[in-house]
Amino acid sequence: MYFYSSITQRKSIKKQRKLERPKSSFVFYVLWNQISLIPFFCITYILSIRLIPRQKFQKTLFWVAVCILNPITEELIFRGVLVHQLGIYINNYYLAIVLGLFVTVGNHIYQGRLHIITHIIFYIFTVTLLYSDIGLVGSIGFHLAGDIYPFMWLKYQVNNYKKRRREKRRAKYVSS
């Protein structure tokens, strides 16, 4: 719903000179959903509940959530609402872009210095795509590609590790 409204609003902005301010009800709803997840993660951390799935179906759902739903949600909130809609609301796109950069860095700061640099470069590309002709769809597509590649690389590395470990065990039993 928001995705469609952002596309129609972008088209209407190009057609008219006077900018319409976005309605705050949707932004409040999305923000409330994000804030409501904080107690859930705190409780699971305190109770030491494992959130990593074990069965194949659960792993598939986890992959869909991390590699497909997360980029869509992140782009809608950080680029669609925070950068674009805030830029319209305050009539200053540069301030909205800088604020969005600080929020993105703050959101990924736990990943370390090297990843912060890559996230800054990634942010520049997604904001550039946001304000290009392809808009938010391009940002979402770029983010999907940016999340799927490392996930597949991790899977490849885990499979190689398991293979090397099996070969060590076989060599150990053969030499005994």
Side-chain angles (χ1 to χ4, degrees):
M1 180 177 97
Y2 175 73
F3 184 67
Y4 174 74
S5 67
S6 68
I7 292 173
T8 57
Q9 186 176 17
R10 184 173 175 82
K11 288 180 182 178
S12 68
I13 287 171
K14 287 182 179 181
K15 290 180 183 177
Q16 63 185 358
R17 290 271 190 214
K18 184 181 176 189
L19 298 176
E20 296 178 14
R21 292 188 175 212
K23 296 179 181 176
S24 63
S25 61
F26 181 75
V27 176
F28 178 75
Y29 177 72
V30 171
L31 184 62
W32 177 253
N33 282 333
Q34 295 295 317
I35 291 172
S36 66
L37 286 175
I38 294 172
F40 169 74
F41 288 122
C42 290
I43 290 169
T44 56
Y45 179 76
I46 291 169
L47 297 177
S48 299
I49 297 172
R50 291 185 180 179
L51 297 176
I52 299 172
R54 298 290 181 195
Q55 284 92 17
K56 191 169 190 162
F57 180 69
Q58 291 175 340
K59 286 181 182 180
T60 304
L61 290 178
F62 179 75
W63 183 84
V64 167
V66 169
C67 291
I68 296 174
L69 298 178
N70 182 42
I72 293 170
T73 304
E74 198 170 318
E75 289 302 314
L76 286 174
I77 291 173
F78 290 129
R79 260 54 98 201
V81 174
L82 182 64
V83 174
H84 182 68
Q85 297 293 332
L86 183 66
I88 292 171
Y89 189 74
I90 63 174
N91 289 330
N92 189 347
Y93 288 103
Y94 299 114
L95 180 63
I97 290 171
V98 170
L99 180 65
L101 177 65
F102 284 123
V103 170
T104 300
V105 167
N107 191 38
H108 296 97
I109 202 160
Y110 68 93
Q111 294 176 340
R113 187 174 292 154
L114 177 64
H115 288 286
I116 292 300
I117 294 168
T118 58
H119 279 291
I120 290 171
I121 295 168
F122 192 83
Y123 178 81
I124 291 168
F125 277 113
T126 55
V127 169
T128 304
L129 287 171
L130 176 68
Y131 289 112
S132 71
D133 290 337
I134 53 178
L136 193 57
V137 176
S139 295
I140 291 171
F142 186 72
H143 199 143
L144 284 169
D147 278 2
I148 289 174
Y149 176 75
F151 197 87
M152 293 309 225
W153 179 249
L154 177 66
K155 184 178 179 181
Y156 173 76
Q157 288 178 328
V158 167
N159 287 338
N160 278 344
Y161 173 76
K162 286 179 181 178
K163 184 179 174 183
R164 285 193 313 267
R165 198 167 162 194
R166 275 187 249 133
E167 288 173 359
K168 277 186 177 179
R169 286 183 193 159
R170 285 183 192 151
K172 184 177 179 181
Y173 290 123
V174 170
S175 65
S176 299

